[in-house]
């Protein structure tokens, strides 16, 4: 039963891929893009919902991966630093009127993702002719 269903799915995929209709080709590309985005969203959701609670898996227990960004991101990944400081006119104490000074900082790390980029490559082939041979 499942083999028949898989064979039917394969036939439909081949028809979509090799059919002459450009609309079907466009639909296939859009389907692939939506699958890519769904996988990315599922990955991010999994990272956010990962906790330290053990998960029971057939005959043994395993701790889930923590949601710590530093454990997932490989070394050498570029980082962007954005500093948020108060403007000088807002550094005045509302109680005594003196200027407040920095006493520490809080760093939050977020894993950012840019969607896949696509472009169209146009190959231009020039043709040549000999002017002497034309005469």
């Amino acid at each position: 039963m499942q083999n028949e269903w898989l064979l039917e799915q394969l036939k439909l995929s081949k028809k979509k891929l090799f059919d002459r209709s450009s609309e079907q080709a466009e639909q296939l590309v859009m389907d692939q893009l939506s699958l890519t985005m769904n996988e990315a969203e599922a990955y991010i959701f999994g990272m956010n919902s990962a906790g330290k609670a053990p998960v029971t898996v057939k005959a043994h227990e395993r701790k889930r991966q923590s949601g710590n960004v530093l454990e997932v991101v490989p070394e050498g990944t570029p980082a962007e630093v954005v500093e948020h400081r108060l403007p000088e006119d807002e550094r005045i104490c509302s109680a005594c009127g003196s200027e407040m000074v920095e006493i520490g900082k809080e760093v939050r790390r977020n894993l950012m993702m840019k969607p896949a980029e696509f472009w169209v490559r146009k190959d231009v082939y020039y043709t040549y002719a000999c002017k002497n041979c034309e005469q």
Side-chain angles (χ1 to χ4, degrees):
M1 180 71 179
Q2 188 176 8
N3 286 342
E4 293 173 12
W5 183 81
L6 289 173
L7 288 172
E8 190 64 30
Q9 292 299 316
L10 182 61
K11 286 179 188 176
L12 287 172
S13 295
K14 283 183 179 179
K15 186 174 182 176
K16 282 184 182 177
L17 186 62
F18 298 109
D19 200 23
R20 292 182 183 221
S21 173
S22 64
E23 291 176 1
Q24 289 178 351
E26 273 183 33
Q27 184 61 39
L28 183 64
V29 170
M30 294 309 293
D31 289 345
Q32 290 296 320
L33 283 174
S34 69
L35 286 175
T36 303
M37 294 309 292
N38 288 342
E39 289 173 0
E41 290 169 359
Y43 176 76
I44 290 171
F45 177 77
M47 292 302 301
N48 289 339
S49 65
K52 301 248 186 216
V55 175
T56 304
V57 180
K58 289 186 188 178
H60 71 281
E61 286 189 358
R62 184 186 321 174
K63 282 189 176 180
R64 294 189 87 168
Q65 293 181 353
S66 73
N68 189 354
V69 172
L70 297 177
E71 293 177 9
V72 179
V73 178
E75 271 188 52
T77 301
E80 174 187 12
V81 178
V82 180
E83 293 183 340
H84 302 275
R85 296 183 179 207
L86 284 177
E88 286 188 30
D89 59 338
E90 293 182 23
R91 293 184 201 166
I92 307 299
C93 178
S94 60
C96 67
S98 61
E99 184 177 352
M100 295 188 287
V101 294
E102 283 184 17
I103 58 169
K105 62 183 174 183
E106 178 183 330
V107 178
R108 296 181 190 170
R109 290 180 176 88
N110 294 309
L111 182 61
M112 307 302 284
M113 184 178 79
K114 184 185 227 181
E117 295 178 347
F118 296 93
W119 66 92
V120 174
R121 184 177 101 171
K122 294 182 181 180
D123 293 311
V124 180
Y125 297 96
Y126 293 92
T127 54
Y128 298 89
C130 176
K131 291 288 184 182
N132 287 333
C133 293
E134 285 181 0
Q135 297 173 0

